[in-house]
Amino acid sequence: MRGDNKEAVLGGVRLATLRAFRSEQEAIYRAARPVSAKLADDARDGWVNGVPMQWMTDWPMPYPLFIEHGAGSRLVDVDGHEYADFCLGDTGAMFGHASPPVVAAASAQATRGFTHMLPTRDAAVVGKLLRETFGLPVWQVALTATDANRFALRVARAVTGRPKILVFNGCYHGTVDECFVCLVDGEARNRPGMLGQFVDLTSQAAVVEFNDLPALEAALAAGDIACVITEPVLTNSSMVLPDPGFHDELRRLTRAAGTLLLIDETHCISSGYGGYTRVHGLEPDLWVCGKAIAGGVPTAVWGMTEAVAHGYEQALRDRPPGHSAIGTTLAANALSLAALRANLEQVMTPANYASMEARAERLATALNREVAAVGLPWHVARVGARIEFIFSPVPLRNGTEAAATHLPELEQAIHLGLLNQGVLIAPFHNMMLVSPATSDADADRLVAATAETLRRLMGIDRRVSAQ
């Protein structure tokens, strides 16, 4: 933001214009969604802040949008409005809502029981599918990527005998405690905003900037890092792509230091068949994916090399009686395994990925064109089927640069403007996903809605109308 109040600018947009647009869009939203308004009022009785999960209040709407149903790339709200959905459950529905193969498998399993604490016939098939698709030979199942990351990091500590992990500034790995550290003026700190945190997480985790190989090498030299955990592309802090050669050096340095490498592909599974790891030939010791892995049924997987699996099995044999702190009662339930099998066999196919990639490339090119047409200093980044427009003229290199581009007031106005034109993108940053069900018409609708919203924000007077 710069200048006095009249000329203050946020991300290239005059603040006065931005706020007038946001106010107008809130009025349009309220007028068009009386049933959601009534349900939001009713939901205040029984839920914290009126929602079943507190982050549902992070959306930019005046009150929550209540969904009636979703199918493929579309959502319909309780007021009957249809949306081209590019949020796709923040990746959980990346392969489309109610994917028919997953629905069929889940429906069939429902008649045979949801959970038994014992394997089913699907278990014998899913392990082989995971190995064939993602490359690592040995696997385990969890309910969420948070759980999978937490369990994998425990295994890394058990196998190496080392106490600490290393993360990159701006990372996101669910709600794993020791990942909630950041850099402030070059010093490791607990991330602000956490509730109920009672220990100094920097005692358990080192943090350096993504793409900073000298800092990584220096941190590993201490000899106390059990595992480096990272996304191959930072995605929850505005998209940060790796420098050329970064991943090769990351792998070389971790091996030289005796440190394990965990690649978390919960978001980067958008990269292509087998994820970023397979597409780019990475060689992690541990690998995690949640959200979309079972077509939206709550499931995550974590894989490991034979060497890590051997160390894990030995640690299990050597431990004293008691709880291993790895695993939860509902993990690897029968429903998850059925959905995993269907998704891996019939949905996460090379053909579907090729379709997603082609449409995402076309969409990113069109969005870049619209940003340039109104003269905004932004750019569009993409990793496979995942796209984000970023409030910076040049690509980002690390978490600190990404944090500087995070402009919530501008994001929220844009998101609400798109929503009122029947387009939904993620509430966090400006993330969009393309699914196998996404059509050319969906993509054209997003481009047109973005163009209209940007013109309005730049004072080029065209009217965003109610849906």
Side-chain angles (χ1 to χ4, degrees):
M1 193 180 299
R2 66 175 187 273
D4 59 27
N5 287 337
K6 282 189 177 180
E7 296 301 323
V9 173
L10 192 67
V13 177
R14 290 183 66 245
L15 197 56
T17 304
L18 170 65
R19 289 176 176 170
F21 177 82
R22 171 70 181 268
S23 179
E24 174 194 74
Q25 294 307 304
E26 288 183 348
I28 290 172
Y29 181 93
R30 291 178 186 277
R33 296 166 180 84
V35 181
S36 273
K38 176 65 167 59
L39 289 172
D41 188 60
D42 292 344
R44 290 190 184 96
D45 184 12
W47 298 113
V48 174
N49 288 326
V51 288
M53 277 295 293
Q54 55 84 19
W55 47 253
M56 291 180 177
T57 62
D58 290 342
W59 290 88
M61 306 90 161
Y63 46 81
L65 182 72
F66 283 74
I67 299 302
E68 191 69 52
H69 68 267
S73 64
R74 301 297 180 95
L75 291 176
V76 177
D77 71 20
V78 292
D79 287 283
H81 304 302
E82 185 179 80
Y83 304 90
D85 183 14
F86 290 88
C87 173
L88 294 170
D90 190 25
T91 309
M94 190 182 80
F95 298 105
H97 298 287
S99 177
V102 177
V103 170
S107 298
Q109 185 58 50
T111 65
R112 301 192 294 268
F114 294 117
T115 185
H116 318 122
M117 288 190 73
L118 289 166
T120 62
R121 291 177 182 269
D122 290 326
V125 177
V126 168
K128 294 176 183 177
L129 288 169
L130 290 168
R131 184 175 61 213
E132 291 166 2
T133 305
F134 302 112
L136 288 167
V138 185
W139 293 85
Q140 292 280 266
V141 178
L143 275 177
T144 69
T146 290
D147 279 346
N149 281 322
R150 185 181 294 119
F151 302 154
L153 290 174
R154 282 187 174 275
V155 168
R157 287 183 166 113
V159 168
T160 64
R162 296 178 176 184
K164 299 180 81 171
I165 69 162
L166 184 144
V167 301
F168 292 108
N169 191 38
C171 72
Y172 182 73
H173 301 290
T175 55
V176 176
D177 278 4
E178 56 264 52
C179 294
F180 280 90
V181 294
C182 63
L183 287 175
V184 178
D185 297 327
E187 296 293 327
R189 297 282 187 273
N190 286 358
R191 280 196 186 183
M194 289 186 295
L195 295 177
Q197 186 56 46
F198 63 95
V199 297
D200 179 8
L201 298 175
T202 64
S203 67
Q204 303 168 24
V207 54
V208 301
E209 293 284 14
F210 196 72
N211 284 318
D212 189 343
L213 291 169
L216 172 65
E217 185 171 19
L220 293 175
D224 58 355
I225 305 295
C227 187
V228 172
I229 177 173
T230 186
E231 294 182 283
V233 175
L234 297 190
T235 63
N236 216 46
S237 58
S238 290
M239 197 180 293
V240 180
L241 299 171
D243 287 345
F246 172 74
H247 279 295
D248 288 341
E249 279 299 287
L250 170 61
R251 181 67 281 194
R252 184 185 70 80
L253 290 171
T254 49
R255 281 181 172 148
T259 296
L260 300 180
L261 175 61
L262 190 164
I263 297 292
D264 179 357
E265 291 238 27
T266 299
H267 286 164
C268 294
I269 196 67
S270 65
S271 301
Y273 182 69
Y276 194 101
T277 294
R278 178 166 178 164
V279 170
H280 295 274
L282 306 188
E283 298 179 353
D285 301 293
L286 295 149
W287 190 94
V288 163
C289 187
K291 290 193 177 182
I293 194 71
V297 173
T299 310
V301 296
W302 50 293
M304 64 200 84
T305 62
E306 294 281 7
V308 172
H310 176 76
Y312 179 26
E313 291 165 356
Q314 186 63 49
L316 288 172
R317 286 192 292 269
D318 293 345
R319 71 184 179 93
H323 201 297
S324 69
I326 294 176
T328 55
T329 302
L330 291 176
N333 64 74
L335 182 65
S336 288
L337 290 169
L340 258 174
R341 178 176 179 176
N343 203 50
L344 290 167
E345 285 183 332
Q346 302 178 62
V347 182
M348 293 181 68
T349 64
N352 272 342
Y353 268 111
S355 170
M356 294 157 67
E357 171 83 14
R359 186 157 285 117
E361 183 177 16
R362 173 176 172 268
L363 183 56
T365 299
L367 290 172
N368 251 328
R369 183 176 63 243
E370 296 301 337
V371 167
V374 296
L376 282 163
W378 307 349
H379 76 282
V380 176
R382 181 173 72 88
V383 55
R386 187 182 183 95
I387 305 163
E388 187 167 343
F389 54 86
I390 296 170
F391 303 142
S392 165
V394 296
L396 309 174
R397 292 196 64 249
N398 57 50
T400 295
E401 291 182 7
T405 70
H406 182 40
L407 306 175
E409 188 172 2
L410 178 56
E411 291 168 7
Q412 290 165 9
I414 292 169
H415 298 182
L416 190 54
L418 296 177
L419 182 77
N420 282 333
Q421 297 175 84
V423 175
L424 190 72
I425 69 173
F428 316 110
H429 311 291
N430 300 302
M431 191 277 290
M432 295 153 275
L433 281 163
V434 171
S435 79
T438 301
S439 66
D440 286 338
D442 293 329
D444 291 344
R445 189 174 189 179
L446 171 57
V447 172
T450 301
E452 174 73 355
T453 299
L454 297 185
R455 284 192 289 265
R456 291 291 313 286
L457 289 172
M458 294 302 287
I460 304 169
D461 191 17
R462 288 186 60 182
R463 192 68 41 175
V464 176
S465 60
Q467 206 186 40

